[in-house]
């Protein structure tokens, strides 16, 4: 990723005031998520999902390329007395933090080579939770643009070394056409 791209994300987060809600998809999985152990939030932005997981007792590492997002997440965590590890990582050129993680979360970020890396950072029995809009999303939403979208039906074919627990693709209650996957590393 170029410095210009990093600055674009930083600028976007500087303009966005206030905290975002944790993902409804993630919250819908509450009963299936581990209640302890390590979790990795991949490209987790300002940490709304990381902080929700930390409140549930997970030891979360948040990685993102935006310093502004990471600083914001770290400040909220400090204020709330929550442990949160924040690491600036360019996921296009640098490796994921090593595991093992009981949970790896990757929402609204698509870098296809990561699918080969997910099994290496998951603990046996650990979960990958992934969601990303697909090309059909453009029928109702101009963003994200096509280069950030999955093809319809593409997601299961990207998975490497993991077993699908659940997979859906369609219009969400938030009005996005999204592919959603939960997968596990067989013990
Ligand atoms: C659409 S946001 C998603 C944030 C969060 N996961 C969510 O669902 O709200 C995409 C995130 O990816 C981060 N990002 C973009 N390119 C990246 C890269 N090469 N390495 C790490 N993070 C990156 C951005 O800074 C941004 O926080």
């Amino acid at each position: 990723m170029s410095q210009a791209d990093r600055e674009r994300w930083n600028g976007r987060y500087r303009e966005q005031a206030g905290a975002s809600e944790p993902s409804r998809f993630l919250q819908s999985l509450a009963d299936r998520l581990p209640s302890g152990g390590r979790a990795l939030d991949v490209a987790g932005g300002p940490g709304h999902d990381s902080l929700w997981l930390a409140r549930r007792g997970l030891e979360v590492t948040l990685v993102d390329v935006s310093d502004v997002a990471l600083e914001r997440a770290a400040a909220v965590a400090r204020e709330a007395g929550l442990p949160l590890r924040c690491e600036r990582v360019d996921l296009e050129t640098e490796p994921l933090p090593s595991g093992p993680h009981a949970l790896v979360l990757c929402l609204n970020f698509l870098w296809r080579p990561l699918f080969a890396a997910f099994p290496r950072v998951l603990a046996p029995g650990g979960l990958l939770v992934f969601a990303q809009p697909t090309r059909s999303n453009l029928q109702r939403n101009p963003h994200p643009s096509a280069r950030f979208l999955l093809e319809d039906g593409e997601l299961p074919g990207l998975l490497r070394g993991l077993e699908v627990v659940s997979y859906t693709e369609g219009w969400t209650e938030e009005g996005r056409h999204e592919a959603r996957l939960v997968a596990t590393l067989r013990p």
Side-chain angles (χ1 to χ4, degrees), residues 1 9-10 12-13 23 41-46 48-49 63-66 69 89-93 106-109:
M1 153 175 281
W9 278 109
N10 278 339
R12 205 180 280 191
Y13 285 124
S23 147
D41 186 3
V42 177
H48 35 272
D49 297 320
V63 296
D64 200 281
V65 79
S66 162
V89 177
D90 180 349
L91 293 159
E92 294 181 12
T93 57
C106 185
L107 302 180
N108 302 305
F109 178 73

Side-chain angles (χ1 to χ4, degrees), residues 1 10 23 34 36 41 68 75 79 95 123 129-130 138 155 171:
M1 153 175 281
N10 278 339
S23 147
D41 186 3
V68 174
E79 215 164 283
V129 173
F130 182 94
L138 289 172
L155 180 54
W171 292 101

Side-chain angles (χ1 to χ4, degrees), residues 159-181:
L159 211 58
R160 298 280 174 272
L162 300 180
E163 191 171 285
V164 176
V165 175
S166 67
Y167 167 63
T168 60
E169 196 169 308
W171 292 101
T172 67
E173 52 183 1
E174 296 95 346
R176 286 150 58 94
H177 197 276
E178 215 168 81
R180 294 176 160 183
L181 177 88

Side-chain angles (χ1 to χ4, degrees), residues 20-23 26 39-64 70 73-74 76-77 82-86 103 105 107:
S20 317
E21 288 298 306
S23 147
L26 178 64
L40 178 63
D41 186 3
V42 177
H48 35 272
D49 297 320
S50 288
L51 292 159
W52 184 79
L53 291 169
R55 286 196 175 91
R56 290 171 53 89
L58 285 142
E59 292 163 44
V60 186
T61 301
L62 164 64
V63 296
D64 200 281
L70 293 172
V76 176
L82 291 167
L84 179 66
R85 194 186 165 109
C86 295
L103 174 68
L105 180 67
L107 302 180

